[in-house]
Structures are given as C-alpha cells and as structure tokens.
Amino acid sequence: MGRGRQKAKATKQARDIKYYSPNTDYSALQRELTGPGSRSTSRYSNEPVEPDYSAYVDKYADDLDDDDDEVNNRRIG
C-alpha cells in the first residue's frame, strides 16, 4: 500500500474512533459500581488485617531515638 492510501486509511480509522459513541447502559453501570448488596464496607472485608508490631517497639526504640538526634544536629546552609 502506498503512503497516500495508508494515510487515508489511518485518517478514516481515527475519525471512526473519534466519533464513535456506544450506547451506555447506565443501570448496568450502577449495578456494577454498587456491587452485590448495598453495603459499601463489604468491599474491605477481604483485606488482610495489619499485623501487630507492638512487640518490636521496645527492641528498636533506641535506634529511633538516635536517628532523631542526628536530624536535629545537622547544619543547614
């Protein structure tokens, strides 16, 4: 295919895509967004629970205190 025919075909395809407007089924969209049941928190019930890291607080507390001192003693400028 020559460049002229190729460009004409690409232009036609771009025009078809630009002006294409499918029929939108808003009731199906509503059902999809709300999901099964009307409870919005049901989506988060499958999320894993964050583990409890409180046992590690005492073990690493000294490291955190040392880091704070270095930040405060740093010269700026």
Side-chain angles (χ1 to χ4, degrees):
M1 212 181 337
R3 176 66 184 136
R5 287 175 39 188
Q6 184 179 4
K7 183 175 182 192
K9 183 177 180 181
T11 303
K12 181 179 183 266
Q13 290 173 338
R15 191 179 302 117
D16 290 343
I17 293 170
K18 180 178 180 182
Y19 294 112
Y20 175 72
S21 63
N23 294 330
T24 305
D25 185 3
Y26 292 107
S27 60
L29 180 62
Q30 175 89 23
R31 285 192 306 270
E32 182 180 338
L33 292 175
T34 56
S38 61
R39 297 171 58 189
S40 62
T41 58
S42 65
R43 182 176 88 181
Y44 300 108
S45 63
N46 295 335
E47 298 268 335
V49 177
E50 185 174 331
D52 182 23
Y53 294 112
S54 61
Y56 299 103
V57 171
D58 293 334
K59 183 177 181 180
Y60 296 104
D62 295 335
D63 294 341
L64 292 175
D65 292 339
D66 293 342
D67 291 342
D68 291 341
D69 293 340
E70 291 175 10
V71 172
N72 293 334
N73 293 334
R74 197 178 314 162
R75 290 177 48 187
I76 299 175

